[in-house]
Amino acid sequence: MTQKIAILTGGGDCAGLNSAVKWITKTALDPQLATHRNESFEVIGIKDGWKGLIEVEPEDPASVAKWVEPLDELIVRTWDRYGGTHLGTSRTNPFNPKDDQSERCVANIRGLGLTAIVAIGGEDTLSVAHKLYNLGQKVVGIPKTIDRDLNATDYTLGYDTALNVITEEVDRLRTTAGSHNRIFVVEVMGRHAGWLALEGGQASGAHIILVPEYDFDVGKVADLLRRRREAGVRYDVVVVSEGAKPRGQGEIYLSDKTDGFGHKVLGGIGLSLAKEIERLTGFETRHVVLSHIQRGGHPSARDRLMGRYFGIAAVDLILEEDFGRMVSYRNGQIGSVPLKQAIDKLYLVDTKTQYDVERYNGRRSSLVPKL
Ligand code: F6P
């Protein structure tokens, strides 16, 4: 029998996706595997995430050429070195209540003769994977998102590269902030999870870190900054998550438009906070939005490695016919969890144990409770 495995990447792109695609392909097409199993394997990429699986017309060669990319060892040989996703991505939701395309999706899976699908994505993409699995489709998932907000895994592809970008960019801002005696507010991504702000802020030595999980008091932010000037510090960096909000106020969005999963694009807190700090303290304050820079660039060593390990494990799940699961990384081990567990709730910063609500920063105690 020939197994035909399709790979797709959905949601926001990030570093590490191409590495995962490479290692799914290499593992599935390993000649040793075919000999050992006495079956042959074929691997294809679906273009632009779930959109490709909806749009493709399996009977029309031109449409297949447009939406399907046959993959082999030679094609994917260098992919792990590149950021983004060579397969393309979209935020298309086949189960969008406004335009449900799930039946078409299932018909196309049959039409293309797919025996398994590997969906590489975050909460949204994997929620579609889970629904398709419930409809009887053979789907496995790989976690990716710079937000690192998926439950049941300690790692999601793209996170490490994004953290490194934040650290590097804040280092750059420090020299100019110091020269000019300025405060810099740096807005980072993360949606409703504060991981990128908290860990990016700590790694880059930000004085103040603001996360979506704890509504901040802007008066207190101003006080903390005033105290630093009094102590003789010439400049400061405030890292704010795009989803953070001042007490009593809501999140700030770039526009009212929503994607297929009902999300609006966050953005704007950096500018409004910078204005407010300057108004309250009189210190010259500028803001920088790191935005999609965090998703770009070459993957870090960690993202290349995790892409490799996750890709290999996804093929293991297929060989074991253990569908409806997402590969995971927990307590230093590669494993797998039911897709449902990964998408049931978001993994967020615990402000009781991981955030100092007095200093608006990381905690100064790891082992002594209540400090
Ligand atoms: O989920 C990843 C992410 O980068 C979020 O941090 C951010 O809020 C969102 O995607 C931005 O989405 P888009 O690329 O559609 O603007």
Side-chain angles (χ1 to χ4, degrees), residues 30-60:
D30 185 343
Q32 273 188 17
L33 181 72
T35 315
H36 176 69
R37 304 263 308 187
N38 201 20
E39 351 176 58
S40 57
F41 292 84
E42 187 184 340
V43 182
I44 60 166
I46 303 285
K47 299 280 190 64
D48 295 353
W50 299 119
K51 182 172 196 255
L53 208 51
I54 294 170
E55 298 291 333
V56 67
E57 291 171 26
E59 308 303 323
D60 175 5

PDB file of all heavy atoms in Angstrom, residues 30-60:
ATOM      1  N   ASP A  30      12.315   7.967   4.000  1.00  0.00           N
ATOM      2  CA  ASP A  30      13.541   7.217   4.289  1.00  0.00           C
ATOM      3  C   ASP A  30      13.417   5.807   3.694  1.00  0.00           C
ATOM      4  O   ASP A  30      12.492   5.060   4.058  1.00  0.00           O
ATOM      5  CB  ASP A  30      13.704   7.152   5.814  1.00  0.00           C
ATOM      6  CG  ASP A  30      15.020   6.505   6.226  1.00  0.00           C
ATOM      7  OD1 ASP A  30      15.634   5.842   5.376  1.00  0.00           O
ATOM      8  OD2 ASP A  30      15.403   6.663   7.387  1.00  0.00           O
ATOM      9  N   PRO A  31      14.303   5.419   2.779  1.00  0.00           N
ATOM     10  CA  PRO A  31      14.177   4.102   2.126  1.00  0.00           C
ATOM     11  C   PRO A  31      14.133   2.953   3.137  1.00  0.00           C
ATOM     12  O   PRO A  31      13.454   1.943   2.899  1.00  0.00           O
ATOM     13  CB  PRO A  31      15.427   4.003   1.245  1.00  0.00           C
ATOM     14  CG  PRO A  31      15.980   5.379   1.155  1.00  0.00           C
ATOM     15  CD  PRO A  31      15.463   6.162   2.310  1.00  0.00           C
ATOM     16  N   GLN A  32      14.851   3.129   4.241  1.00  0.00           N
ATOM     17  CA  GLN A  32      14.846   2.069   5.268  1.00  0.00           C
ATOM     18  C   GLN A  32      13.444   1.806   5.798  1.00  0.00           C
ATOM     19  O   GLN A  32      13.067   0.680   6.083  1.00  0.00           O
ATOM     20  CB  GLN A  32      15.715   2.484   6.450  1.00  0.00           C
ATOM     21  CG  GLN A  32      17.159   2.109   6.254  1.00  0.00           C
ATOM     22  CD  GLN A  32      17.953   2.369   7.527  1.00  0.00           C
ATOM     23  OE1 GLN A  32      17.376   2.520   8.598  1.00  0.00           O
ATOM     24  NE2 GLN A  32      19.250   2.436   7.384  1.00  0.00           N
ATOM     25  N   LEU A  33      12.695   2.896   5.931  1.00  0.00           N
ATOM     26  CA  LEU A  33      11.323   2.769   6.451  1.00  0.00           C
ATOM     27  C   LEU A  33      10.456   1.964   5.473  1.00  0.00           C
ATOM     28  O   LEU A  33       9.735   1.045   5.875  1.00  0.00           O
ATOM     29  CB  LEU A  33      10.728   4.162   6.669  1.00  0.00           C
ATOM     30  CG  LEU A  33       9.319   4.205   7.218  1.00  0.00           C
ATOM     31  CD1 LEU A  33       9.305   3.783   8.672  1.00  0.00           C
ATOM     32  CD2 LEU A  33       8.727   5.592   7.077  1.00  0.00           C
ATOM     33  N   ALA A  34      10.566   2.321   4.187  1.00  0.00           N
ATOM     34  CA  ALA A  34       9.758   1.625   3.175  1.00  0.00           C
ATOM     35  C   ALA A  34      10.072   0.132   3.179  1.00  0.00           C
ATOM     36  O   ALA A  34       9.168  -0.715   3.141  1.00  0.00           O
ATOM     37  CB  ALA A  34      10.020   2.234   1.802  1.00  0.00           C
ATOM     38  N   THR A  35      11.376  -0.211   3.243  1.00  0.00           N
ATOM     39  CA  THR A  35      11.768  -1.623   3.234  1.00  0.00           C
ATOM     40  C   THR A  35      11.226  -2.318   4.480  1.00  0.00           C
ATOM     41  O   THR A  35      10.626  -3.388   4.411  1.00  0.00           O
ATOM     42  CB  THR A  35      13.321  -1.735   3.235  1.00  0.00           C
ATOM     43  OG1 THR A  35      13.822  -0.819   2.296  1.00  0.00           O
ATOM     44  CG2 THR A  35      13.782  -3.137   2.914  1.00  0.00           C
ATOM     45  N   HIS A  36      11.445  -1.658   5.626  1.00  0.00           N
ATOM     46  CA  HIS A  36      11.032  -2.237   6.896  1.00  0.00           C
ATOM     47  C   HIS A  36       9.522  -2.488   6.955  1.00  0.00           C
ATOM     48  O   HIS A  36       9.052  -3.519   7.414  1.00  0.00           O
ATOM     49  CB  HIS A  36      11.474  -1.289   8.009  1.00  0.00           C
ATOM     50  CG  HIS A  36      11.043  -1.713   9.376  1.00  0.00           C
ATOM     51  ND1 HIS A  36      11.561  -2.824   9.989  1.00  0.00           N
ATOM     52  CD2 HIS A  36      10.121  -1.190  10.226  1.00  0.00           C
ATOM     53  CE1 HIS A  36      10.984  -2.967  11.166  1.00  0.00           C
ATOM     54  NE2 HIS A  36      10.104  -1.996  11.340  1.00  0.00           N
ATOM     55  N   ARG A  37       8.759  -1.528   6.419  1.00  0.00           N
ATOM     56  CA  ARG A  37       7.295  -1.627   6.526  1.00  0.00           C
ATOM     57  C   ARG A  37       6.664  -2.333   5.326  1.00  0.00           C
ATOM     58  O   ARG A  37       5.465  -2.575   5.319  1.00  0.00           O
ATOM     59  CB  ARG A  37       6.688  -0.214   6.609  1.00  0.00           C
ATOM     60  CG  ARG A  37       7.227   0.633   7.732  1.00  0.00           C
ATOM     61  CD  ARG A  37       6.368   0.609   8.931  1.00  0.00           C
ATOM     62  NE  ARG A  37       4.988   0.930   8.631  1.00  0.00           N
ATOM     63  CZ  ARG A  37       4.060   1.107   9.564  1.00  0.00           C
ATOM     64  NH1 ARG A  37       4.387   0.983  10.827  1.00  0.00           N
ATOM     65  NH2 ARG A  37       2.826   1.383   9.235  1.00  0.00           N
ATOM     66  N   ASN A  38       7.467  -2.531   4.310  1.00  0.00           N
ATOM     67  CA  ASN A  38       6.935  -3.111   3.094  1.00  0.00           C
ATOM     68  C   ASN A  38       5.773  -2.286   2.520  1.00  0.00           C
ATOM     69  O   ASN A  38       4.764  -2.825   2.068  1.00  0.00           O
ATOM     70  CB  ASN A  38       6.503  -4.569   3.359  1.00  0.00           C
ATOM     71  CG  ASN A  38       6.428  -5.349   2.062  1.00  0.00           C
ATOM     72  OD1 ASN A  38       7.033  -4.923   1.075  1.00  0.00           O
ATOM     73  ND2 ASN A  38       5.689  -6.443   2.061  1.00  0.00           N
ATOM     74  N   GLU A  39       5.897  -0.977   2.629  1.00  0.00           N
ATOM     75  CA  GLU A  39       4.905  -0.088   1.989  1.00  0.00           C
ATOM     76  C   GLU A  39       5.686   1.076   1.389  1.00  0.00           C
ATOM     77  O   GLU A  39       6.835   1.311   1.769  1.00  0.00           O
ATOM     78  CB  GLU A  39       3.869   0.530   2.946  1.00  0.00           C
ATOM     79  CG  GLU A  39       3.818   0.045   4.323  1.00  0.00           C
ATOM     80  CD  GLU A  39       2.820   0.798   5.199  1.00  0.00           C
ATOM     81  OE1 GLU A  39       1.636   0.825   4.870  1.00  0.00           O
ATOM     82  OE2 GLU A  39       3.239   1.314   6.237  1.00  0.00           O
ATOM     83  N   SER A  40       5.050   1.848   0.506  1.00  0.00           N
ATOM     84  CA  SER A  40       5.755   3.014  -0.008  1.00  0.00           C
ATOM     85  C   SER A  40       5.060   4.279   0.491  1.00  0.00           C
ATOM     86  O   SER A  40       3.874   4.254   0.848  1.00  0.00           O
ATOM     87  CB  SER A  40       5.793   2.972  -1.534  1.00  0.00           C
ATOM     88  OG  SER A  40       4.488   2.906  -2.012  1.00  0.00           O
ATOM     89  N   PHE A  41       5.836   5.326   0.518  1.00  0.00           N
ATOM     90  CA  PHE A  41       5.327   6.585   1.064  1.00  0.00           C
ATOM     91  C   PHE A  41       5.466   7.702   0.043  1.00  0.00           C
ATOM     92  O   PHE A  41       6.439   7.752  -0.698  1.00  0.00           O
ATOM     93  CB  PHE A  41       6.108   6.950   2.337  1.00  0.00           C
ATOM     94  CG  PHE A  41       5.848   6.013   3.476  1.00  0.00           C
ATOM     95  CD1 PHE A  41       6.564   4.821   3.583  1.00  0.00           C
ATOM     96  CD2 PHE A  41       4.880   6.276   4.432  1.00  0.00           C
ATOM     97  CE1 PHE A  41       6.326   3.929   4.610  1.00  0.00           C
ATOM     98  CE2 PHE A  41       4.639   5.387   5.469  1.00  0.00           C
ATOM     99  CZ  PHE A  41       5.359   4.213   5.563  1.00  0.00           C
ATOM    100  N   GLU A  42       4.475   8.590   0.057  1.00  0.00           N
ATOM    101  CA  GLU A  42       4.510   9.761  -0.813  1.00  0.00           C
ATOM    102  C   GLU A  42       4.183  10.961   0.072  1.00  0.00           C
ATOM    103  O   GLU A  42       3.332  10.848   0.966  1.00  0.00           O
ATOM    104  CB  GLU A  42       3.415   9.569  -1.886  1.00  0.00           C
ATOM    105  CG  GLU A  42       3.437  10.618  -2.958  1.00  0.00           C
ATOM    106  CD  GLU A  42       2.271  10.431  -3.948  1.00  0.00           C
ATOM    107  OE1 GLU A  42       1.695   9.312  -4.032  1.00  0.00           O
ATOM    108  OE2 GLU A  42       1.923  11.422  -4.602  1.00  0.00           O
ATOM    109  N   VAL A  43       4.882  12.073  -0.143  1.00  0.00           N
ATOM    110  CA  VAL A  43       4.622  13.253   0.691  1.00  0.00           C
ATOM    111  C   VAL A  43       4.310  14.444  -0.206  1.00  0.00           C
ATOM    112  O   VAL A  43       5.027  14.707  -1.178  1.00  0.00           O
ATOM    113  CB  VAL A  43       5.837  13.593   1.597  1.00  0.00           C
ATOM    114  CG1 VAL A  43       5.512  14.789   2.495  1.00  0.00           C
ATOM    115  CG2 VAL A  43       6.235  12.392   2.452  1.00  0.00           C
ATOM    116  N   ILE A  44       3.240  15.151   0.120  1.00  0.00           N
ATOM    117  CA  ILE A  44       2.925  16.377  -0.625  1.00  0.00           C
ATOM    118  C   ILE A  44       2.710  17.520   0.364  1.00  0.00           C
ATOM    119  O   ILE A  44       2.369  17.295   1.535  1.00  0.00           O
ATOM    120  CB  ILE A  44       1.652  16.226  -1.500  1.00  0.00           C
ATOM    121  CG1 ILE A  44       0.422  15.892  -0.625  1.00  0.00           C
ATOM    122  CG2 ILE A  44       1.841  15.174  -2.575  1.00  0.00           C
ATOM    123  CD1 ILE A  44      -0.905  16.054  -1.362  1.00  0.00           C
ATOM    124  N   GLY A  45       2.943  18.734  -0.112  1.00  0.00           N
ATOM    125  CA  GLY A  45       2.618  19.915   0.678  1.00  0.00           C
ATOM    126  C   GLY A  45       1.351  20.526   0.115  1.00  0.00           C
ATOM    127  O   GLY A  45       1.148  20.547  -1.102  1.00  0.00           O
ATOM    128  N   ILE A  46       0.469  20.985   1.011  1.00  0.00           N
ATOM    129  CA  ILE A  46      -0.732  21.712   0.565  1.00  0.00           C
ATOM    130  C   ILE A  46      -0.418  23.196   0.734  1.00  0.00           C
ATOM    131  O   ILE A  46       0.049  23.618   1.803  1.00  0.00           O
ATOM    132  CB  ILE A  46      -1.961  21.351   1.438  1.00  0.00           C
ATOM    133  CG1 ILE A  46      -2.229  19.838   1.434  1.00  0.00           C
ATOM    134  CG2 ILE A  46      -3.193  22.164   1.052  1.00  0.00           C
ATOM    135  CD1 ILE A  46      -2.857  19.290   0.186  1.00  0.00           C
ATOM    136  N   LYS A  47      -0.655  23.984  -0.295  1.00  0.00           N
ATOM    137  CA  LYS A  47      -0.314  25.406  -0.247  1.00  0.00           C
ATOM    138  C   LYS A  47      -1.333  26.208   0.574  1.00  0.00           C
ATOM    139  O   LYS A  47      -2.534  25.951   0.515  1.00  0.00           O
ATOM    140  CB  LYS A  47      -0.288  25.986  -1.666  1.00  0.00           C
ATOM    141  CG  LYS A  47       0.726  25.356  -2.588  1.00  0.00           C
ATOM    142  CD  LYS A  47       2.109  25.928  -2.324  1.00  0.00           C
ATOM    143  CE  LYS A  47       3.111  25.516  -3.371  1.00  0.00           C
ATOM    144  NZ  LYS A  47       2.818  26.009  -4.706  1.00  0.00           N
ATOM    145  N   ASP A  48      -0.814  27.167   1.307  1.00  0.00           N
ATOM    146  CA  ASP A  48      -1.635  28.158   2.021  1.00  0.00           C
ATOM    147  C   ASP A  48      -2.589  27.564   3.058  1.00  0.00           C
ATOM    148  O   ASP A  48      -3.731  28.019   3.209  1.00  0.00           O
ATOM    149  CB  ASP A  48      -2.444  29.022   1.036  1.00  0.00           C
ATOM    150  CG  ASP A  48      -1.539  29.880   0.166  1.00  0.00           C
ATOM    151  OD1 ASP A  48      -0.324  29.891   0.414  1.00  0.00           O
ATOM    152  OD2 ASP A  48      -2.047  30.540  -0.753  1.00  0.00           O
ATOM    153  N   GLY A  49      -2.132  26.552   3.755  1.00  0.00           N
ATOM    154  CA  GLY A  49      -2.903  26.023   4.888  1.00  0.00           C
ATOM    155  C   GLY A  49      -4.226  25.406   4.468  1.00  0.00           C
ATOM    156  O   GLY A  49      -4.361  24.834   3.373  1.00  0.00           O
ATOM    157  N   TRP A  50      -5.235  25.538   5.318  1.00  0.00           N
ATOM    158  CA  TRP A  50      -6.546  24.925   5.032  1.00  0.00           C
ATOM    159  C   TRP A  50      -7.157  25.493   3.763  1.00  0.00           C
ATOM    160  O   TRP A  50      -7.968  24.847   3.099  1.00  0.00           O
ATOM    161  CB  TRP A  50      -7.507  25.113   6.212  1.00  0.00           C
ATOM    162  CG  TRP A  50      -7.033  24.465   7.483  1.00  0.00           C
ATOM    163  CD1 TRP A  50      -6.760  25.082   8.663  1.00  0.00           C
ATOM    164  CD2 TRP A  50      -6.799  23.054   7.717  1.00  0.00           C
ATOM    165  NE1 TRP A  50      -6.352  24.164   9.605  1.00  0.00           N
ATOM    166  CE2 TRP A  50      -6.370  22.916   9.046  1.00  0.00           C
ATOM    167  CE3 TRP A  50      -6.890  21.913   6.920  1.00  0.00           C
ATOM    168  CZ2 TRP A  50      -6.037  21.675   9.608  1.00  0.00           C
ATOM    169  CZ3 TRP A  50      -6.565  20.679   7.465  1.00  0.00           C
ATOM    170  CH2 TRP A  50      -6.146  20.574   8.793  1.00  0.00           C
ATOM    171  N   LYS A  51      -6.770  26.725   3.413  1.00  0.00           N
ATOM    172  CA  LYS A  51      -7.302  27.335   2.180  1.00  0.00           C
ATOM    173  C   LYS A  51      -7.021  26.429   0.978  1.00  0.00           C
ATOM    174  O   LYS A  51      -7.911  26.195   0.132  1.00  0.00           O
ATOM    175  CB  LYS A  51      -6.641  28.704   1.966  1.00  0.00           C
ATOM    176  CG  LYS A  51      -7.109  29.462   0.775  1.00  0.00           C
ATOM    177  CD  LYS A  51      -6.518  30.871   0.796  1.00  0.00           C
ATOM    178  CE  LYS A  51      -7.255  31.752  -0.146  1.00  0.00           C
ATOM    179  NZ  LYS A  51      -6.630  32.077  -1.346  1.00  0.00           N
ATOM    180  N   GLY A  52      -5.789  25.896   0.906  1.00  0.00           N
ATOM    181  CA  GLY A  52      -5.409  25.027  -0.209  1.00  0.00           C
ATOM    182  C   GLY A  52      -6.273  23.788  -0.286  1.00  0.00           C
ATOM    183  O   GLY A  52      -6.635  23.334  -1.382  1.00  0.00           O
ATOM    184  N   LEU A  53      -6.615  23.255   0.883  1.00  0.00           N
ATOM    185  CA  LEU A  53      -7.410  22.021   0.905  1.00  0.00           C
ATOM    186  C   LEU A  53      -8.870  22.290   0.512  1.00  0.00           C
ATOM    187  O   LEU A  53      -9.582  21.396   0.057  1.00  0.00           O
ATOM    188  CB  LEU A  53      -7.333  21.413   2.315  1.00  0.00           C
ATOM    189  CG  LEU A  53      -7.497  19.903   2.415  1.00  0.00           C
ATOM    190  CD1 LEU A  53      -6.568  19.168   1.459  1.00  0.00           C
ATOM    191  CD2 LEU A  53      -7.238  19.445   3.840  1.00  0.00           C
ATOM    192  N   ILE A  54      -9.295  23.524   0.688  1.00  0.00           N
ATOM    193  CA  ILE A  54     -10.654  23.893   0.243  1.00  0.00           C
ATOM    194  C   ILE A  54     -10.657  24.194  -1.259  1.00  0.00           C
ATOM    195  O   ILE A  54     -11.512  23.734  -2.016  1.00  0.00           O
ATOM    196  CB  ILE A  54     -11.150  25.149   1.012  1.00  0.00           C
ATOM    197  CG1 ILE A  54     -11.328  24.833   2.494  1.00  0.00           C
ATOM    198  CG2 ILE A  54     -12.436  25.689   0.403  1.00  0.00           C
ATOM    199  CD1 ILE A  54     -11.573  26.054   3.366  1.00  0.00           C
ATOM    200  N   GLU A  55      -9.652  24.941  -1.698  1.00  0.00           N
ATOM    201  CA  GLU A  55      -9.644  25.430  -3.087  1.00  0.00           C
ATOM    202  C   GLU A  55      -9.297  24.360  -4.125  1.00  0.00           C
ATOM    203  O   GLU A  55      -9.755  24.428  -5.263  1.00  0.00           O
ATOM    204  CB  GLU A  55      -8.634  26.579  -3.231  1.00  0.00           C
ATOM    205  CG  GLU A  55      -8.948  27.810  -2.391  1.00  0.00           C
ATOM    206  CD  GLU A  55     -10.179  28.555  -2.878  1.00  0.00           C
ATOM    207  OE1 GLU A  55     -10.491  28.474  -4.084  1.00  0.00           O
ATOM    208  OE2 GLU A  55     -10.838  29.190  -2.039  1.00  0.00           O
ATOM    209  N   VAL A  56      -8.459  23.396  -3.733  1.00  0.00           N
ATOM    210  CA  VAL A  56      -7.963  22.453  -4.736  1.00  0.00           C
ATOM    211  C   VAL A  56      -9.107  21.649  -5.368  1.00  0.00           C
ATOM    212  O   VAL A  56     -10.064  21.263  -4.689  1.00  0.00           O
ATOM    213  CB  VAL A  56      -6.902  21.508  -4.106  1.00  0.00           C
ATOM    214  CG1 VAL A  56      -7.502  20.579  -3.071  1.00  0.00           C
ATOM    215  CG2 VAL A  56      -6.169  20.705  -5.174  1.00  0.00           C
ATOM    216  N   GLU A  57      -8.983  21.431  -6.683  1.00  0.00           N
ATOM    217  CA  GLU A  57      -9.950  20.563  -7.370  1.00  0.00           C
ATOM    218  C   GLU A  57      -9.182  19.328  -7.822  1.00  0.00           C
ATOM    219  O   GLU A  57      -8.448  19.380  -8.822  1.00  0.00           O
ATOM    220  CB  GLU A  57     -10.577  21.304  -8.541  1.00  0.00           C
ATOM    221  CG  GLU A  57     -11.491  22.421  -8.051  1.00  0.00           C
ATOM    222  CD  GLU A  57     -11.973  23.315  -9.172  1.00  0.00           C
ATOM    223  OE1 GLU A  57     -12.042  22.843 -10.321  1.00  0.00           O
ATOM    224  OE2 GLU A  57     -12.263  24.481  -8.880  1.00  0.00           O
ATOM    225  N   PRO A  58      -9.311  18.209  -7.093  1.00  0.00           N
ATOM    226  CA  PRO A  58      -8.460  17.045  -7.339  1.00  0.00           C
ATOM    227  C   PRO A  58      -8.530  16.497  -8.753  1.00  0.00           C
ATOM    228  O   PRO A  58      -7.581  15.880  -9.229  1.00  0.00           O
ATOM    229  CB  PRO A  58      -8.968  16.011  -6.326  1.00  0.00           C
ATOM    230  CG  PRO A  58      -9.603  16.806  -5.251  1.00  0.00           C
ATOM    231  CD  PRO A  58     -10.177  18.015  -5.905  1.00  0.00           C
ATOM    232  N   GLU A  59      -9.655  16.733  -9.454  1.00  0.00           N
ATOM    233  CA  GLU A  59      -9.791  16.196 -10.828  1.00  0.00           C
ATOM    234  C   GLU A  59      -9.099  17.079 -11.865  1.00  0.00           C
ATOM    235  O   GLU A  59      -8.934  16.671 -13.016  1.00  0.00           O
ATOM    236  CB  GLU A  59     -11.281  16.102 -11.238  1.00  0.00           C
ATOM    237  CG  GLU A  59     -12.185  15.355 -10.260  1.00  0.00           C
ATOM    238  CD  GLU A  59     -11.687  13.952 -10.012  1.00  0.00           C
ATOM    239  OE1 GLU A  59     -11.186  13.340 -10.979  1.00  0.00           O
ATOM    240  OE2 GLU A  59     -11.761  13.480  -8.852  1.00  0.00           O
ATOM    241  N   ASP A  60      -8.731  18.305 -11.472  1.00  0.00           N
ATOM    242  CA  ASP A  60      -8.175  19.261 -12.436  1.00  0.00           C
ATOM    243  C   ASP A  60      -6.659  19.397 -12.215  1.00  0.00           C
ATOM    244  O   ASP A  60      -6.221  19.986 -11.223  1.00  0.00           O
ATOM    245  CB  ASP A  60      -8.881  20.617 -12.223  1.00  0.00           C
ATOM    246  CG  ASP A  60      -8.285  21.707 -13.092  1.00  0.00           C
ATOM    247  OD1 ASP A  60      -7.398  21.405 -13.915  1.00  0.00           O
ATOM    248  OD2 ASP A  60      -8.682  22.881 -12.913  1.00  0.00           O
TER     249      ASP A  60
END
